[in-house]
Structure formats: C-alpha cells, structure tokens
Amino acid sequence: MRYFFYGTLLDPDVRRAVLGRPAHALRGRHAVLDGYRRVTVPEKSYPTLAADAGGAVAGLVFGGITPALARRLNVFEGTAYRIACCHVRLEDGAVVSARVFVPRLRPPSGGRPWDYEGWKKKAKRRFLAGLDRERPEAGAGGR
C-alpha cells in the first residue's frame, strides 16, 4: 500500500514512533497533492487538509505500507480522519494513487497555514513526548 504524508509524519522521528522499527526501511518520495491546502488544527500543533481547488500540498509518498503498519497509522490518526484514495504528483511528473488521511469534518475556514520547519523548532519535542505518554506500548496514539 502507498500512503501520502503531509504533516507530522513527514518527520522521521514521528514515523519511527508511530510505525516502529519498520519505519527505517521505508523510503519516501517527494510528491504534491493538488486540490488542498495544509492548515493548522485549531488549538493543536499539527495540520489537517482543507479543500482548495487552487491549492497544492507538498509531502512524501511511502510505498510498502503493510496491513500491520496501516493499522498503526489508523490508530495514530484516530477517528477524526478517514482514508481517501487520491492522485499525487511525483517529482518526475508521474502521477500515482496513494492513501491520504483527510478530515471527516471540514476544518474551520481561514485556518492558518502549517509550517513543518516551524513545527520542528517549536512543537516537535512536546509532540513526541505526548506520543510516548499516550501509548507507550505502541509508540503512537492520536495526533
């Protein structure tokens, strides 16, 4: 299975915490998801997607996601998200199908853009500590 990550799962430490040791073997490819923009979830440090006909979200596509890893991703993302099968553009221009976690409910309009580099500097440490507290046996547990 192929998944497109656009938020905290862009970070190798978060992927390792969520997916465990198999995360080391996964190789991501840069890709873009058209038709959306990435916005910060209100009162949280992580992003979600908002539909935007002119928008485009950069992220990473990972193949080789096994059913066991997919279950871990589902636990991490929680019930606020559903999986959508979307087309993403790779750097070489190829278009591939990938699973994407999209919000079940439409995010509030006017959400502020989410910045991965800013998140790493300001919120990553606290986010990872929260993962450890929420589900230490799995290394994950909600966003």
Side-chain angles (χ1 to χ4, degrees):
M1 289 184 275
R2 189 181 298 129
Y3 280 77
F4 175 79
F5 298 150
Y6 59 87
T8 58
L9 286 166
L10 294 172
D11 188 82
D13 295 326
V14 173
R15 284 195 308 275
R16 190 171 26 260
V18 172
L19 300 175
R21 296 282 299 155
H24 296 298
L26 298 175
R27 297 283 177 240
R29 296 179 67 186
H30 292 278
V32 174
L33 173 65
D34 291 316
Y36 291 91
R37 61 189 166 86
R38 182 176 29 218
V39 296
T40 302
V41 172
E43 310 296 324
K44 304 292 182 186
S45 69
Y46 54 83
T48 192
L49 293 174
D52 181 346
V57 175
L60 296 172
V61 169
F62 286 86
I65 303 292
T66 65
L69 294 177
R71 283 190 295 277
R72 291 178 76 108
L73 288 168
N74 286 332
V75 168
F76 172 70
E77 295 293 350
T79 58
Y81 292 87
R82 66 179 177 79
I83 295 174
C85 191
C86 299
H87 291 99
V88 296
R89 283 183 291 114
L90 301 176
E91 285 182 305
D92 63 6
V95 175
V96 298
S97 179
R99 293 173 183 214
V100 180
F101 284 97
V102 297
R104 289 188 186 277
L105 302 176
R106 197 160 89 192
S109 62
R112 118 182 156 262
W114 185 80
D115 171 51
Y116 174 58
E117 293 302 321
W119 173 84
K120 285 195 309 186
K121 292 176 185 171
K122 296 178 182 174
K124 177 182 171 177
R125 182 177 294 168
R126 188 171 3 117
F127 186 85
L128 284 170
L131 290 180
D132 290 341
R133 280 192 307 275
E134 290 175 20
R135 287 187 66 114
E137 74 282 359
R143 303 205 58 132

